[in-house]
Amino acid sequence: MPKIQGHCLCGQVRYSSSQDEPAMIAVCHCPDCQRQSGSAFSTNVLVPTDSITFEGESRSQFVINGASGQKVIRNFCSNCGSPLTTELPAFDNLAAVKAGTLEDSSWVTPTIQIWCDTAKTWSVLDESIDKTATNPG
Ligand SMILES: [Zn+2]
Ligand SMILES: [Zn+2]
C-alpha cells in the first residue's frame, strides 16, 4: 500500500503518490490556505507533482496566481468540497498533499512552519521547528 494516499470526504476522489518519502512536511499559514481550509493553516506533505495519480470524476481544479506570480493549482472534490493537493510549479514542481486527507497520517510530523507573518492570532505555533515569514527561501 502506498504510504501517501488518501481520499476526499465523500470518497469519490482518491489519490496516491509513488513516492514514500516527502521532500518536506510544512504547516502553511498563508491567507489562501486559511481560506481554502476554513481553518488557521494547512498541513502539507510535499512530493513531486508527477508522482501523484488521481481517480474520480469529481476532481476539479482551482487555479490562482501565487506570491511568486506563477500558477498555484488546487485540486479538490467538486462533490464534497474537500481540498486534496496543491500543485506548486514555482516550488520545484512539488505538490502539497493535504495531510488531513491521508488514509494514515499518524507518521506526519511537520518540520517547518511557513507564512508565519500571516498566522492567525488564535493559532498556537510550535516554537520548536523552523519558521519562515513567507515562502521558504
Ligand atoms: Zn468528495
Ligand atoms: Zn499556504
Side-chain angles (χ1 to χ4, degrees):
M1 184 176 104
K3 181 175 169 185
I4 298 172
Q5 64 173 346
H7 63 85
C8 64
L9 180 58
C10 78
Q12 287 187 14
V13 181
R14 297 184 172 271
Y15 64 83
S16 70
S17 171
S18 58
Q19 181 117 340
D20 278 350
E21 288 313 312
M24 179 185 282
I25 301 178
V27 170
C28 184
H29 299 273
C30 85
D32 285 10
C33 282
Q34 289 166 347
R35 258 177 220 292
Q36 65 95 56
S37 69
S39 187
F41 54 80
S42 66
T43 305
N44 299 311
V45 173
L46 288 125
V47 292
T49 296
D50 62 10
S51 78
I52 298 175
T53 52
F54 283 96
E55 286 171 40
E57 286 178 5
S58 58
R59 173 169 67 116
S60 294
Q61 293 188 323
F62 176 69
V63 182
I64 192 169
N65 284 329
S68 66
Q70 289 199 51
K71 289 190 188 332
V72 170
I73 301 147
R74 291 180 178 265
N75 290 288
F76 67 101
C77 172
S78 60
N79 187 51
C80 68
S82 307
L84 295 165
T85 75
T86 302
E87 298 171 20
L88 304 161
F91 192 54
D92 293 338
N93 272 316
L94 292 172
V97 174
K98 303 299 170 183
T101 67
L102 290 166
E103 302 300 335
D104 173 18
S105 61
S106 60
W107 54 271
V108 171
T109 305
T111 52
I112 188 169
Q113 304 205 53
I114 65 173
W115 285 89
C116 292
D117 271 4
T118 47
K120 295 291 189 189
T121 54
W122 37 273
S123 116
V124 178
L125 301 188
D126 180 351
E127 297 295 331
S128 69
I129 61 174
D130 287 346
K131 288 193 276 301
T132 64
T134 58
N135 272 325

